[in-house]
Amino acid sequence: METQKIIVLISGGGTNLQAIIDKLHNQSLNDKQTKVVAVISNKPDVYGLARAVEAGINTAVVASKGAESREAYDTLLSAEIEKHQPDLIILAGFMRILSADFVNKYLGKMINIHPSLLPKYQGINTHQRAIDANDDVHGASVHFVTPELDSGPIVLQAKVPVFEDDSSEDLRERVLTQEHLIYPLVAQWFLSGRLTMQGSQAVLDGKVLPENGYAAD
């Protein structure tokens, strides 16, 4: 049986990594086996690495602390990735801005999840920014990675309500619940051949997705 190989890049606790492991590691999908072949962290001793070890998945640390430059780091990261020849690279809380050369090398086969309804609130502190803006709806977006930060074609978004007494942590937990549902789903679409990136657009089942992607129910 052909194996569809996944690499997950992390920087922390790895709750989205766990969702990917639970739904896609050693699973059968359209007569193919999906397998997380490696989890790579830019930080040592994060809990996400322990999650991978528990699941019997290879781990590696390509430490970003002390790297000479972004490009130098990305060269080391790419060398580690190339050991496994992945079909899909999943960024799961990987807190690095990647160089254009690195992103272009894996263009169309690397996805990210961002805790906002893109294009709103690119970057960090998204939950507090939504609260400060008095938004009544917030959420998460899964998108293909392009050289522009948090700007690649959006595949799927999930919305959550924002309540008056919400803290940023309350909102974060509500969004995370949705992230754990939609991220493995998008990965399944890609690995089953249903989802591709064509030019600057995400295409699902032969149809170009709208600018804000597919809206999860």
Side-chain angles (χ1 to χ4, degrees):
M1 182 182 292
E2 181 183 347
T3 299
Q4 297 276 79
K5 296 182 289 186
I6 305 164
I7 282 182
V8 184
L9 306 184
I10 64 169
S11 295
T15 63
N16 271 308
L17 165 65
Q18 189 65 58
I20 295 296
I21 291 172
D22 292 344
K23 297 288 179 64
L24 289 173
H25 184 50
N26 288 333
Q27 300 296 314
S28 178
L29 181 66
N30 292 359
D31 297 322
K32 298 178 183 179
Q33 182 185 45
T34 60
K35 183 179 180 69
V36 181
V37 293
V39 172
I40 303 173
S41 176
N42 69 313
K43 297 180 179 180
D45 304 320
V46 296
Y47 186 59
L49 292 171
R51 294 180 189 272
V53 170
E54 178 68 22
I57 298 168
N58 293 319
T59 64
V61 175
V62 182
S64 54
K65 187 175 182 179
E68 292 181 9
S69 66
R70 184 177 299 163
E71 290 74 18
Y73 176 81
D74 287 355
T75 297
L76 295 175
L77 179 60
S78 181
E80 187 63 39
I81 289 171
E82 288 304 304
K83 294 178 183 178
H84 303 279
Q85 295 293 304
D87 297 286
L88 177 64
I89 300 169
I90 296 176
L91 307 186
F94 188 63
M95 302 303 290
R96 291 277 305 175
I97 296 176
L98 297 163
S99 65
D101 284 348
F102 179 92
V103 172
N104 285 326
K105 181 174 183 176
Y106 299 109
L107 198 65
K109 60 186 290 185
M110 184 160 56
I111 58 175
N112 181 50
I113 192 160
H114 184 74
S116 79
L117 296 174
L118 291 171
K120 296 181 74 172
Y121 311 130
Q122 298 170 339
I124 62 174
N125 300 325
T126 60
H127 309 308
Q128 190 60 51
R129 289 159 68 189
I131 291 170
D132 292 345
N134 294 315
D135 290 350
D136 58 4
V137 176
H138 187 47
S141 307
V142 183
H143 65 96
F144 282 103
V145 179
T146 60
E148 300 77 24
L149 180 65
D150 299 330
S151 296
I154 298 168
V155 179
L156 182 61
Q157 291 188 325
K159 297 178 180 179
V160 302
V162 183
F163 301 120
E164 287 187 10
D165 59 349
D166 270 343
S167 67
S168 61
E169 184 59 27
D170 293 331
L171 197 49
R172 174 182 176 274
E173 289 300 320
R174 198 173 301 128
V175 170
L176 266 179
T177 298
Q178 295 302 312
E179 289 184 21
H180 298 160
L181 296 173
I182 67 173
Y183 211 8
L185 179 59
V186 171
Q188 286 177 334
W189 288 348
F190 182 91
L191 293 167
S192 64
R194 295 178 58 194
L195 173 68
T196 59
M197 177 177 163
Q198 297 179 20
S200 60
Q201 298 174 315
V203 177
L204 180 64
D205 295 333
K207 297 180 181 179
V208 175
L209 291 173
E211 186 174 327
N212 291 331
Y214 189 89
D217 293 332

